[in-house]
Amino acid sequence: MSVPVPPAAPPSPMRVLSLIAPMTQLNTPYPSTAYLTGFLRSQGLHAQQDDLALALALALLSPGGLEALRAEAEAQAPRQRTPRVARFLAQFARYRAAIGPAVAFLQGRDGTLAQRIAGREFLPEGERFRSLDVYDDPDGGDPMAWAFGALGQTDRAKHLATLFLNDIADVVKDAADPRFEFVRYAESLAQSQASYEPLAQALAAAPTLVDRLLHDLALASIAQHQPTLVLLSVPFPGAAYAALRIAQTIKAQHPQICIALGGGYVNTELRELADPRIFDAVDFITLDAGERPVLALIEHLQGRRGPQRLVRCFRRSADGQRVEYVNWQEPDIPFEQTGTPTWDGLPLQRYLSLLDMLNPMHRLWSDGRWNKLTVAHGCYWKKCSFCDVGLDYIGRYEAASAELLVDRIEAVVAETGQTGFHFVDEAAPPKSLKALSAELQRRGTAISWWGNIRFEKSFNRELAQAMADSGCIAVTGGLEVASDRLLQLMNKGVTVDQVARVTRAFSEAGILVHAYLMYGFPTQTVQETVDALEYVRQLFAEGCIQSGFFHRFACTVHSPVGLDPAAYGVRLQPLPMPEGGRVFARNDVGFTDPTGTNHDQLGVGLRKAIYNYMHGIGLDEDVRAWFDHPVPKARVARNRIARALGETG
């Protein structure tokens, strides 16, 4: 007689909560949790999300938050208080009275306050307002009239209210937690830190005001969502400490909850993780695109998959002394099957539209709530020598059809009511953008969008105009070092003249252009740096670009320069090795350049120049005027870009 086999037990219910860790940005949600939550829901899983970065900022920027900050400031000895803290205490009643209305204004809930803020009497003004001095009119007129005119009161007030919040952030830094900024928190504890010790000591230290607020917010989120699995997104080093503080809080109160760590910081810096102490706070750490590893982890937690079949996953060994890496070989979820991101559960009406800089292109990063989407996974070029071309987020290129992309766009608009999109690709392919523009117009889908591209010749006048007609308002792209020799060494695939023609095509179509600029690349000389700035000056003067930013080149261990430094004429410096070989993070690596150029000294002048160019100042001056030390005269003819544009004009 056969014995009946009982049916397999159903998988245990799984409640997933994805958390954005502080700090990221305040005007719009960082998209990682929206992507993952949308995917998990498409798989029939119960998935929720929360933005603790925004929640922390709003907790600080409230009457109660300011009262707690005042208590911290008053606990300091008077002689230890900075002028910013002393001013805050002296004018505390004004700060407390203004904070609620100012936040409501920046959230778009009380636009009628614009006139009062713009009048410069409502908000207490600290050191951040000194930046307005650069605009002083010697004739005694309105110093900001050039930016806002007579009717731009809302934008004027938005800029002033942003300065007000930045003043408060400075007080938080001086009185409560020196590691705090609105866009990063305790970044130095995690960025390229070979040893886990700095983080371990910080996590063991008495919590600061910021830590205490985060503790309460984390527990409130857990109480609301009751998860069995928490996914902590760490996109940048400036979110790693807060993520571990959140994990530490959850483990202390709810040890049964499983916690996994992932995100851009993990994917780039923790690939050689060998210190098991991080698993005092979290249970698992996953690498690269999260869909497949998280599905495998969920199946493991449900008892449907053994631990040896986890995917791209770090965990602590059974004896607790080592880190184990498990990577059962399974294909990633194709980009077209990752589902539509969802912002459901995020407080979209509570984000703050900030105006840090008086530049129409630069403001896009901080002003407005943009739906973030991706046209394609990875980079179709994947050759630049400064990029992590071997890692998944660059090296695995997959595109989606224009029809699917517009389906996703329309679904997001229906959910959020917002028609602004920021395509956050490494470099959106011109072929895909051409098809996307055509499909948006074919359907009559009215949106505004901007995104990152390569300044390649495929972006001609016809394509630029088609993109503009479909709603494109801005593009960002890498000019990097404006030197044809260095662009070739970078394997960038563009020339300076080509960049000029492409950016002019965009500008003529009414599309704003931001250029990512770089200095300090291997073998770059002082002369090449000065010449590059002259090219940049001319691009601004000719109206080809409206915004830019100079980044100091950083060599990463995953980039072609880091993997083969001799090919670029430099020698890498030894990476520090923690005691016992327990490596934590590895990304940036120092190098010795035989040219001996003092790039730190040059960087000051470059940043000063670009700041002024973005405000239309100094575009006719000799570029040497921006440096506070002697530099050679630019070898570039002052009409070089004009000639390049005229050749195809």
Side-chain angles (χ1 to χ4, degrees):
M1 180 178 175
S2 61
V3 178
V5 178
S12 59
M14 183 65 58
R15 297 173 61 88
V16 183
L17 174 62
S18 297
L19 295 177
I20 302 172
M23 296 298 295
T24 50
Q25 57 190 127
L26 299 182
N27 65 305
T28 198
Y30 192 78
S32 54
T33 64
Y35 286 16
L36 203 49
T37 301
F39 169 72
L40 292 175
R41 289 185 182 180
S42 75
Q43 303 298 301
L45 291 160
H46 181 95
Q48 300 291 336
Q49 58 188 324
D50 204 353
D51 188 345
L52 294 188
L54 176 68
L56 176 61
L58 293 179
L60 283 166
L61 299 172
S62 68
L66 293 195
E67 287 172 359
L69 181 58
R70 178 176 64 170
E72 296 283 322
E74 288 177 338
Q76 290 183 324
R79 62 178 176 275
Q80 293 179 326
R81 295 172 188 161
T82 65
R84 297 188 293 205
V85 172
R87 184 184 303 109
F88 171 76
L89 290 174
Q91 300 190 55
F92 178 75
R94 292 187 65 199
Y95 275 94
R96 191 189 187 285
I99 189 61
V103 167
F105 171 73
L106 291 171
Q107 290 174 329
R109 295 189 289 114
D110 189 2
T112 60
L113 197 62
Q115 292 288 125
R116 195 170 180 198
I117 292 175
R120 302 283 299 272
E121 296 293 334
F122 179 66
L123 302 177
E125 298 187 358
E127 287 186 5
R128 293 297 185 122
F129 286 78
R130 292 180 184 174
S131 64
L132 302 178
D133 294 346
V134 71
Y135 311 123
D136 277 349
D137 186 339
D139 297 324
D142 180 356
M144 292 188 287
W146 67 273
F148 303 116
L151 297 178
Q153 293 294 80
T154 298
D155 279 347
R156 182 193 299 260
K158 189 178 290 186
H159 181 55
L160 295 172
T162 300
L163 296 177
F164 172 63
L165 297 195
N166 288 338
D167 270 338
I168 293 173
D170 290 339
V171 177
V172 174
K173 198 169 188 175
D174 288 356
D177 194 328
R179 307 164 301 183
F180 180 80
E181 296 179 55
F182 277 140
V183 295
R184 60 183 66 86
Y185 182 32
E187 182 179 66
S188 63
L189 296 176
Q191 188 169 32
S192 294
Q193 277 284 0
S195 172
Y196 185 67
E197 188 60 25
L199 271 170
Q201 291 183 11
L203 291 167
T208 65
L209 169 63
V210 177
D211 294 332
R212 295 194 299 273
L213 289 173
L214 187 57
H215 172 278
D216 293 345
L217 292 166
L219 291 182
S221 185
I222 296 299
Q224 176 184 352
H225 297 290
Q226 297 290 309
T228 53
L229 170 63
V230 169
L231 306 176
L232 282 166
S233 176
V234 186
F236 313 112
Y241 168 74
L244 293 174
R245 271 288 185 186
I246 293 167
Q248 187 183 60
T249 296
I250 296 171
K251 279 297 178 189
Q253 298 292 324
H254 304 280
Q256 78 284 1
I257 295 177
C258 181
I259 303 175
L261 198 70
Y265 167 73
V266 173
N267 300 339
T268 54
E269 301 215 17
L270 302 191
R271 304 190 77 88
E272 298 179 46
L273 179 66
D275 194 324
R277 289 181 293 172
I278 192 172
F279 294 102
D280 293 340
V282 303
D283 300 292
F284 300 94
I285 297 175
T286 66
L287 293 181
D288 301 328
E291 292 86 1
R292 179 63 73 190
V294 169
L295 278 185
L297 177 58
I298 289 172
E299 291 177 2
H300 168 60
L301 296 175
Q302 291 175 326
R304 300 161 55 200
R305 178 185 288 248
Q308 75 281 1
R309 295 182 62 228
L310 292 169
V311 177
R312 296 196 299 272
C313 188
F314 288 108
R315 62 177 185 174
R316 200 197 314 243
S317 62
D319 62 9
Q321 301 303 307
R322 294 172 294 107
V323 175
E324 293 179 346
Y325 181 63
V326 184
N327 186 17
W328 184 263
Q329 294 299 311
E330 289 188 25
D332 273 298
I333 306 296
F335 178 62
E336 288 198 332
Q337 297 176 22
T338 54
T340 301
T342 178
W343 281 263
D344 177 51
L346 296 177
L348 299 184
Q349 306 310 314
R350 300 189 71 201
Y351 286 86
L352 302 166
S353 284
L354 305 175
L355 184 50
D356 286 296
M357 184 176 289
L358 305 184
N359 176 279
M361 172 72 222
H362 213 80
R363 71 181 294 175
L364 295 181
W365 276 278
S366 64
D367 188 18
R369 208 209 59 73
W370 302 95
N371 300 309
K372 293 180 183 279
L373 281 183
T374 308
V375 174
H377 181 282
C379 178
Y380 68 98
W381 178 252
K382 53 186 173 186
K383 296 179 183 178
C384 297
S385 58
F386 53 83
C387 260
D388 298 335
V389 294
L391 298 187
D392 176 81
Y393 79 98
I394 298 286
R396 179 168 63 88
Y397 173 68
E398 294 181 13
S401 70
E403 292 77 14
L404 178 60
L405 289 173
V406 179
D407 286 346
R408 290 176 175 175
I409 287 170
E410 291 179 341
V412 170
V413 171
E415 178 188 276
T416 67
Q418 300 280 339
T419 60
F421 286 81
H422 180 195
F423 296 123
V424 291
D425 297 69
E426 295 301 320
K431 182 179 179 181
S432 295
L433 291 182
K434 181 178 181 180
L436 173 64
S437 299
E439 183 65 13
L440 286 168
Q441 292 187 75
R442 186 186 71 79
R443 296 195 196 184
T445 302
I447 65 169
S448 301
W449 62 272
W450 59 296
N452 197 48
I453 63 164
R454 295 182 64 251
F455 293 131
E456 64 165 76
K457 59 184 178 182
S458 299
F459 289 107
N460 54 28
R461 286 175 173 170
E462 291 73 24
L463 179 51
Q465 189 59 55
M467 290 166 60
D469 292 343
S470 73
C472 180
I473 59 171
V475 293
T476 62
L479 171 56
E480 319 307 350
V481 178
S483 157
D484 286 338
R485 179 188 80 84
L486 292 171
L487 287 171
Q488 185 174 8
L489 184 61
M490 288 178 174
N491 204 8
K492 186 68 182 175
V494 300
T495 65
V496 175
D497 288 358
Q498 177 182 313
V499 170
R501 290 189 281 268
V502 168
T503 53
R504 168 59 71 84
F506 282 122
S507 294
E508 288 179 344
I511 296 173
L512 297 170
V513 181
H514 173 89
Y516 293 112
L517 303 163
M518 184 184 294
Y519 67 101
F521 194 75
T523 71
Q524 183 177 2
T525 64
V526 174
Q527 182 68 66
E528 286 174 321
T529 303
V530 174
D531 291 348
L533 183 57
E534 173 60 21
Y535 278 124
V536 170
R537 182 196 68 78
Q538 293 183 35
L539 288 169
F540 272 99
E542 293 293 333
C544 296
I545 63 177
Q546 291 75 45
S547 175
F549 188 83
F550 271 106
H551 303 258
R552 172 72 182 269
F553 168 74
C555 180
T556 70
V557 295
H558 313 293
S559 68
V561 177
L563 295 171
D564 186 14
Y568 301 89
V570 296
R571 180 171 52 84
L572 298 187
Q573 298 170 2
L575 286 165
M577 178 58 70
E579 184 178 350
R582 291 188 166 189
V583 172
F584 176 58
R586 277 191 173 170
N587 192 43
D588 295 357
V589 55
F591 61 93
T592 302
D593 189 331
T595 60
T597 305
N598 187 340
H599 296 294
D600 288 334
Q601 190 179 41
L602 291 168
V604 176
L606 294 173
R607 290 189 293 274
K608 187 188 302 181
I610 202 74
Y611 180 85
N612 282 274
Y613 292 165
M614 284 195 291
H615 292 84
I617 300 171
L619 291 173
D620 295 324
E621 292 188 19
D622 188 311
V623 295
R624 290 176 291 180
W626 301 112
F627 300 95
D628 58 7
H629 59 283
V631 295
K633 181 180 180 180
R635 298 172 302 184
V636 180
R638 286 181 65 85
N639 64 344
R640 167 65 187 277
I641 295 299
R643 289 207 320 267
L645 295 171
E647 289 171 5
T648 58

